Amino acid sequence: MWLIIMWTTLAVTGIGLVYLSSRLEKFGFMDKLTDCRPKRKSVLSIVLVFGLFALIGWQINFMNAIVCTVYFALVWALCDFANWLIIKIRRKIFKRYYAGVCAFVISIAALACGWYLDHQVWQTDYNLNTQKSVRPLKIAMFADSHLGTTFDAEGFAVHLANIQAQQPDMLIIAGDFVDDDTSREDMLKACQALGKFQTRYGTYFAFGNHDRCVGGDLNPELYMSIVKQANPNYQFKNSYYSFSPKKGYK
């Protein structure tokens, strides 16, 4: 099943790259760069599109390069379709490739918005009521911090201090605390800050898919042991799923 998904993804990416190359040829500046020679224009378009794909894969990662390619191709196809409908209605071809301009502007704007949202942190408060006879409990939870891709260890420590100031009874980390490309230095500093976090009933951790690889090491227990070193009172309830203090919630 995974092989089918992988090969399908690669095939769609390849089709997207070829499609984007063919769209790039339609811009007027490509005629000026290639002296209106079709073969030169095709080659230059392929070099530019595949080169951008390789650059994104090198600077970020291969998966993000695939996502960006598929996204660009889909947006471009929708803009081309809208352009085709408008031409059918007005019965006149545009002198300039406005569909490509719109696709480029929309894609860049969406990616810029995504980057901004990825680097922001919002707090959402929930009030839950129960008929059970328990004392009021304040639980803080965060997920998908993707340390290193969103903010560094210093930034994480600042956010953690803001959570600590609210004096939660329990802290829950719901996965993807770190990311595949998180540096060992950021991991160490962030875990040391986490190990000093004080709660009444402890901190609980669930591994996400990105937590299994840190700095190229398939060793999720590594940074959990760092937390334990920073706070010896922690003991592993289950080294693969959570850690908690010796006294549980009653």
Side-chain angles (χ1 to χ4, degrees):
M1 183 64 182
W2 285 110
L3 285 176
I4 294 175
I5 295 174
M6 182 186 71
W7 286 112
T8 302
T9 302
L10 292 176
V12 171
T13 303
I15 293 171
L17 289 170
V18 173
Y19 173 73
L20 291 173
S21 298
S22 69
R23 300 299 92 189
L24 188 60
E25 293 183 33
K26 297 173 71 67
F27 283 103
F29 71 87
M30 293 296 291
D31 291 327
K32 295 180 180 180
L33 291 175
T34 59
D35 296 327
C36 295
R37 298 184 180 183
K39 289 185 178 180
R40 286 188 179 182
K41 190 159 58 173
S42 296
V43 171
L44 180 59
S45 298
I46 291 173
V47 169
L48 290 176
V49 171
F50 279 76
L52 179 60
F53 176 83
L55 180 63
I56 295 174
W58 176 52
Q59 289 293 325
I60 307 178
N61 58 54
F62 183 66
M63 184 53 65
N64 277 318
I66 290 177
V67 171
C68 288
T69 298
V70 175
Y71 173 79
F72 269 113
L74 287 174
V75 171
W76 220 298
L78 289 174
C79 289
D80 274 341
F81 179 70
N83 183 69
W84 176 79
L85 285 178
I86 294 172
I87 291 174
K88 285 291 185 180
I89 293 173
R90 73 194 298 262
R91 297 180 181 180
K92 187 178 180 180
I93 298 176
F94 294 107
K95 293 182 179 180
R96 292 184 174 85
Y97 186 34
Y98 292 113
V101 175
C102 290
F104 185 80
V105 171
I106 292 172
S107 298
I108 294 300
L111 290 174
C113 181
W115 184 91
Y116 172 79
L117 294 175
D118 184 54
H119 290 75
Q120 304 302 310
V121 175
W122 285 272
Q123 177 178 318
T124 304
D125 297 323
Y126 299 95
N127 293 313
L128 305 178
N129 298 315
T130 178
Q131 296 180 349
K132 294 183 178 181
S133 179
V134 294
R135 64 178 299 275
L137 182 68
K138 181 186 289 186
I139 300 175
M141 184 185 79
F142 69 85
D144 297 292
S145 53
H146 292 280
L147 189 67
T149 61
T150 51
F151 39 76
D152 56 16
E154 285 73 17
F156 173 77
V158 171
H159 292 306
L160 200 62
N162 292 333
I163 297 175
Q164 180 73 84
Q166 300 182 56
Q167 299 180 335
D169 296 308
M170 181 186 300
L171 177 65
I172 297 175
I173 305 173
D176 288 346
F177 170 50
V178 294
D179 201 82
D180 300 345
D181 299 322
T182 300
S183 68
R184 187 173 293 273
E185 182 180 1
D186 269 344
M187 179 190 67
L188 292 173
K189 291 181 179 179
C191 288
Q192 289 170 355
L194 188 61
K196 297 176 183 178
F197 193 84
Q198 299 296 319
T199 63
R200 181 189 296 268
Y201 300 117
T203 301
Y204 295 82
F205 187 101
F207 281 97
N209 59 308
H210 290 279
D211 290 311
R212 302 193 179 193
C213 182
V214 180
D217 296 329
L218 291 171
N219 186 5
E221 289 82 4
L222 176 60
Y223 56 91
M224 304 306 292
S225 65
I226 300 170
V227 174
K228 187 174 177 63
Q229 291 174 12
N231 189 342
N233 290 327
Y234 280 93
Q235 66 176 10
F236 292 107
K237 180 179 180 182
N238 184 316
S239 61
Y240 223 141
Y241 296 102
S242 66
F243 64 92
S244 60
K246 294 181 179 179
K247 293 183 179 180
Y249 175 67
K250 295 183 179 180

